[in-house]
Structures are given as structure tokens and as C-alpha cells.
Amino acid sequence: MTNSVRLLQDTGIAIRQALLAQDWVAIGELDLQCRQAVEEAMVDAVEEESLRERLQDLLVLYRELVTACQDERQRVADELQQINQAQKGAKVYQLYG
């Protein structure tokens, strides 16, 4: 396994761990590293089968990541909506209380 393919694998593992921990800052940083690793691996494509497997693994991982991001975005939107409703309720209470 070439260094670039190993870097892809290691970066994928790190992204998965950050996803499990919901460490969105780390995911953002690792995403940049992953993009660079993909570029390097494409230039260094000596072991095509190994590279293909790592890229397929990353594709699955990024699908999971997109789903997790969408779920988190919805959770935050719901939370913001509840906060807005609570603030409106507090204003009404202050007007009439």
C-alpha cells in the first residue's frame, strides 16, 4: 500500500472517529486533509485496486457524514424554533403579566 493510499485510509478512520464523537470542527479540518490526500493518491495511482477500495470506503463514509450533518442541521433548526417560541411567549407574558 502506498503512502498516499495509507493516508487516505488513516484520514477516513479519523473522520469516522470524529463523526462518532460529533466533533464538527475536527471533521472540517479532516475533510480538507482528505481532499489533499485524494489529490495525492490520484497523482500517485500505482496501486489502482487499493486506491479504488479506499475511495469506495470514503464514498460510503461521506454519505454517512452528509446524513449526519443533515440530521444535526435539523436538530439545531428545531432547537432554534423552540427558543424563538419561548421568547415570544415570554414577551407576551411581560406585556400582560
Side-chain angles (χ1 to χ4, degrees):
M1 183 180 304
T2 64
N3 286 340
S4 57
V5 173
R6 183 170 287 116
L7 180 59
L8 273 178
Q9 182 178 10
D10 293 345
T11 306
I13 290 169
I15 290 173
R16 184 168 301 285
Q17 290 171 343
L19 178 58
L20 290 173
Q22 292 187 344
D23 186 348
W24 305 110
V25 173
I27 289 171
E29 294 168 1
L30 290 166
D31 177 56
L32 292 175
Q33 290 177 15
C34 186
R35 291 170 191 258
Q36 292 172 345
V38 168
E39 287 179 19
E40 289 176 24
M42 297 304 282
V43 170
D44 190 32
V46 176
E47 297 178 20
E48 289 184 20
E49 184 60 34
S50 181
L51 175 60
R52 183 178 297 116
E53 289 174 12
R54 294 294 75 77
L55 291 175
Q56 287 174 341
D57 291 345
L58 284 174
L59 182 61
V60 169
L61 175 59
Y62 270 81
R63 284 182 182 147
E64 292 173 21
L65 187 57
V66 167
T67 300
C69 287
Q70 289 171 337
D71 291 346
E72 183 66 12
R73 182 185 67 200
Q74 186 60 49
R75 186 194 66 76
V76 169
D78 292 344
E79 189 174 313
L80 287 173
Q81 186 175 16
Q82 289 175 352
I83 290 170
N84 285 335
Q85 288 174 350
Q87 286 177 340
K88 287 178 185 177
K91 287 179 184 178
V92 168
Y93 179 75
Q94 288 174 349
L95 287 174
Y96 297 108

